[in-house]
Amino acid sequence: WNTETGQCDLTLTGHDGGVWSLCALGDDRVVSGSEVGTIKIWNTGTGLCDLTLTGDIGRIIFLLVLLDGLMASVSRDNKTIKIWNSKSGQCNFILAGHSDSVSSICVLSDGRVASGSEDKTIQIWKAGTDECDLTLTGHNGGVSFLCTLEDGRLASGSKDKTIKIWNSENGNCVITLTGHSEGINFLFVLGHRLGSLSEDKTVKIWNTTGMGHCDLTLTGHSEMVISLCVLWDGRLATRSKDNTIKIWNTGTG
């Protein structure tokens, strides 16, 4: 889309099923993952598909750009993460170690990949290899989302209604944040603070210094919040199953 005019510049067609994930590769290409188990890499100048990645992939729910031209894919149908060469379309290696489906991945500041799973664990993988460096345990429910904080620590949200902050060097849990009444679906970084989205219809903004505490709870939606984005001026936009979008002042709530 052209964000100045609101006009559609290109329509990319070729998937045989719904597109569940998108990300930008940073070289004028985008990558898309489909519910029928294909990944396509597109040229955003021409709208043409440069590569189609196939091979027992499963329904793609998460795509992530890594260092050195690599990218990672997560499928709803298996317990592994595939690492791909975005230039050749070849699968370089597979990260296998979880005993249940993988729900989230993120890149740490040193290039390692962290993965969260329904098996209640987080695994941290050595950069550029298929070796597991650390396994983090402590959640009592499936790990639903991961993100990296500004200071390099790792944050995890779980179905056990808690958020944990981890030292990604030694795997120790340094903070456990409680306050949501239902499971955590999404985490996001808001400057030096951390935000969380829960099935309890609220969004919470957390201070992650010291022992951690909740700065704000944003309430007002009558159904679960299903997505959000941070606006350029620091405000927050949330979209809910109640058919509304709300814009929030993250300083006052």
Side-chain angles (χ1 to χ4, degrees):
W1 298 89
N2 184 313
T3 57
E4 297 294 329
T5 65
Q7 299 298 308
C8 178
D9 285 344
L10 289 170
T11 300
L12 312 181
T13 60
H15 279 296
D16 294 325
V19 177
W20 286 8
S21 185
L22 281 174
C23 68
L25 290 175
D27 56 0
D28 293 326
R29 296 185 301 160
V30 296
V31 56
S32 59
S34 163
E35 65 178 346
V36 298
T38 59
I39 298 170
K40 290 182 178 288
I41 297 177
W42 307 85
N43 183 314
T44 58
T46 64
L48 300 177
C49 177
D50 286 344
L51 288 170
T52 299
L53 285 51
T54 60
D56 190 29
I57 301 175
R59 293 174 291 175
I60 306 300
I61 61 169
F62 211 105
L63 294 168
L64 183 68
V65 177
L66 308 178
L67 302 177
D68 302 321
L70 300 178
M71 64 182 189
S73 69
V74 173
S75 165
R76 177 166 289 180
D77 304 313
N78 58 46
K79 307 165 188 175
T80 63
I81 301 116
K82 291 182 183 289
I83 307 298
W84 304 86
N85 183 312
S86 65
K87 298 294 185 182
S88 68
Q90 298 299 308
C91 179
N92 282 14
F93 47 88
I94 298 173
L95 307 182
H98 285 293
S99 61
D100 206 337
S101 59
V102 177
S103 49
S104 183
I105 53 176
C106 74
V107 181
L108 302 180
S109 56
D110 59 6
R112 291 180 298 164
V113 173
S115 57
S117 168
E118 291 295 327
D119 67 11
K120 307 175 186 177
T121 72
I122 299 159
Q123 295 193 324
I124 297 179
W125 307 85
K126 291 183 180 178
T129 76
D130 59 359
E131 297 179 40
C132 180
D133 197 18
L134 291 169
T135 298
L136 314 183
T137 60
H139 278 298
N140 295 318
V143 178
S144 51
F145 205 84
L146 299 174
C147 72
T148 306
L149 303 183
E150 284 189 337
D151 59 9
R153 292 179 297 171
L154 177 67
S156 61
S158 169
K159 291 180 177 179
D160 67 9
K161 309 174 189 176
T162 71
I163 300 158
K164 291 184 180 288
I165 311 295
W166 308 83
N167 181 320
S168 60
E169 295 299 322
N170 57 30
N172 291 335
C173 178
V174 293
I175 299 173
T176 298
L177 303 173
T178 60
H180 279 296
S181 60
E182 297 292 342
I184 313 301
N185 288 337
F186 188 78
L187 299 174
F188 61 99
V189 175
L190 195 63
H192 63 281
R193 298 185 294 173
L194 175 69
S196 59
L197 183 158
S198 167
E199 293 180 8
D200 66 9
K201 309 173 189 175
T202 71
V203 176
K204 289 182 180 287
I205 310 296
W206 306 86
N207 185 315
T208 59
T209 60
M211 295 305 296
H213 61 270
C214 182
D215 280 347
L216 285 173
T217 299
L218 309 181
T219 60
H221 282 295
S222 60
E223 297 290 341
M224 186 173 70
V225 181
I226 52 178
S227 67
L228 56 81
C229 68
V230 180
L231 304 183
W232 66 272
D233 59 2
R235 291 181 299 166
L236 188 68
T238 56
R239 177 174 69 97
S240 167
K241 285 186 175 181
D242 65 13
N243 301 325
T244 68
I245 298 168
K246 292 182 181 291
I247 310 296
W248 308 85
N249 183 314
T250 56
T252 64

